[in-house]
Amino acid sequence: MASTSNAIAASNSSSLQFSSLLGCTMESIIHQLLYSRSIYPPDSYVHHRHLGVRFHCSRVPQVCDYISNFLKIAVPSIIGGVADSISLVILEEEVASISRGGEATGHRQQSIGTTKTLERFVFQFQMDSAIYGEDTKPKHIAINHDGGNMLPMDIQHEAIKRDTELALEARAQMERSMRDCLLQVLALRGRRRTKDERAENLSFKLCLHVAEDCKKQQQDGNDMVVAGFTRKECPELTSALKQGEWFQSEESTCLFSNTASGNQATVCKGLMRPIRHVELQSCGMKMQIGFEVPPE
């Protein structure tokens, strides 16, 4: 009984370490992307380190809280198999001035505008049963003892030792992969601003997309966004939705608007440019980082 409890405790500890490492890496990458896309002034960032890599981190409390609170829900949803991708959407508000009462000038002018998507960074995940599978009970491991006599407790001890070694090796592999992802993001070139673009009109939002086997129940939303609702459950996501901290929105609000075919705008996906592909069999995770721009 004690040996089984130890195995379960070791498994839970490994899962928490995996979740923490993935969450910290995603947080670091998002902050660095905001810096490289010039969403906020350069002096609003400070240098931090993650896995030995120096990156830019926003020091604006509202920005830090928004990203942190989003990942507290998104990472468990990804690991639990409820969601399959996270998107960082770069937005621009197009502002036009109109006048009241027929006056072309003066303080009575008002501004109206629409928000369009400039870029999207998409993090697609695929988790296997090693992380969230149906059978979470500790599995028996065959131990070769060369015909010698080993007590059951000795066999359990060797099994736990083997599990610990495998967990440490898996963590080391994941740390190397996450570090490479952050370095790849640091190597990205900054975005070129258009002639009429103004920094104060730029913003961003984070979106969480549920797996395709979900039951779609969508509604409008413009803050933390989850597209759709799934039959699988993530306690953190379920609680956030019930408390109104998150909103279910139409997936189109996280995509691009295309007016090339005429005056009627259509919603579409952008042109995907791969940034990094990660496959960690020891952790049961595949991750694809991509960069989307509006279709031509």
Side-chain angles (χ1 to χ4, degrees):
M1 189 74 176
S3 298
T4 302
S5 300
N6 290 338
I8 294 175
S11 176
N12 291 338
S13 177
S14 297
S15 179
L16 289 174
Q17 291 179 5
F18 177 90
S19 175
S20 176
L21 179 55
L22 180 60
C24 290
T25 302
M26 287 297 303
E27 189 170 12
S28 303
I29 288 175
I30 291 171
H31 277 277
Q32 179 60 36
L33 287 173
L34 293 180
Y35 175 82
S36 70
R37 309 338 276 173
S38 302
I39 304 300
Y40 302 107
D43 59 2
S44 67
Y45 294 85
V46 294
H47 285 106
H48 279 199
R49 284 188 179 273
H50 176 59
L51 299 175
V53 178
R54 192 183 188 196
F55 68 98
H56 293 88
C57 179
S58 174
R59 57 185 178 89
V60 179
Q62 294 86 343
V63 175
C64 296
D65 291 343
Y66 174 75
I67 297 173
S68 177
N69 291 335
F70 173 87
L71 292 174
K72 285 178 182 178
I73 308 298
V75 171
S77 301
I78 292 291
I79 294 177
V82 173
D84 57 12
S85 71
I86 292 172
S87 299
L88 168 62
V89 185
I90 307 301
L91 304 168
E92 179 187 18
E93 183 179 5
E94 296 179 312
V95 180
S97 296
I98 60 173
S99 59
R100 297 178 57 186
E103 296 183 13
T105 60
H107 65 278
R108 288 193 176 186
Q109 280 193 336
Q110 292 181 324
S111 294
I112 60 172
T114 58
T115 301
K116 71 174 183 179
T117 299
L118 296 180
E119 299 173 333
R120 286 183 1 122
F121 291 89
V122 184
F123 304 83
Q124 296 177 325
F125 295 88
Q126 180 180 339
M127 301 289 182
D128 65 19
S129 58
I131 302 299
Y132 67 91
E134 294 80 4
D135 184 11
T136 56
K137 298 178 181 178
K139 298 176 175 58
H140 295 288
I141 299 179
I143 303 293
N144 296 323
H145 48 82
D146 301 327
N149 295 323
M150 292 186 68
L151 297 174
M153 290 298 295
D154 294 333
I155 295 178
Q156 287 288 347
H157 177 74
E158 289 296 325
I160 294 174
K161 181 180 178 182
R162 179 77 62 85
D163 283 344
T164 302
E165 292 174 351
L166 292 175
L168 290 174
E169 181 181 353
R171 178 177 175 82
Q173 292 177 358
M174 186 176 180
E175 285 182 348
R176 288 194 295 269
S177 296
M178 295 297 98
R179 183 177 185 274
D180 290 342
C181 289
L182 183 53
L183 287 172
Q184 192 73 42
V185 169
L186 281 164
L188 293 176
R189 289 187 298 180
R191 188 176 60 84
R192 295 181 179 179
R193 290 185 177 178
T194 60
K195 181 180 179 181
D196 299 327
E197 184 177 298
R198 302 177 64 181
E200 58 267 26
N201 294 337
L202 297 181
S203 61
F204 77 98
K205 69 177 178 180
L206 296 168
C207 301
L208 179 69
H209 184 270
V210 299
E212 292 300 330
D213 63 349
C214 65
K215 178 181 179 183
K216 299 292 184 180
Q217 296 180 353
Q218 300 173 336
Q219 64 185 43
D220 291 338
N222 59 1
D223 196 353
M224 293 181 178
V225 180
V226 53
F229 185 77
T230 182
R231 289 187 295 272
K232 295 177 182 177
E233 286 193 4
C234 171
E236 293 87 352
L237 179 58
T238 301
S239 175
L241 288 170
K242 288 182 178 179
Q243 295 176 10
E245 297 174 358
W246 281 49
F247 300 91
Q248 298 176 25
S249 73
E250 295 183 2
E251 187 178 8
S252 59
T253 62
C254 298
L255 300 178
F256 294 95
S257 179
N258 186 10
T259 57
S261 57
N263 294 330
Q264 185 67 30
T266 59
V267 176
C268 59
K269 292 186 177 181
L271 301 176
M272 176 67 76
R273 301 174 182 175
I275 296 177
R276 188 81 183 181
H277 176 74
V278 175
E279 184 171 355
L280 292 170
Q281 295 182 355
S282 59
C283 299
M285 183 187 81
K286 294 180 181 179
M287 180 174 72
Q288 177 75 47
I289 305 177
F291 168 52
E292 281 188 358
V293 294
E296 297 178 354

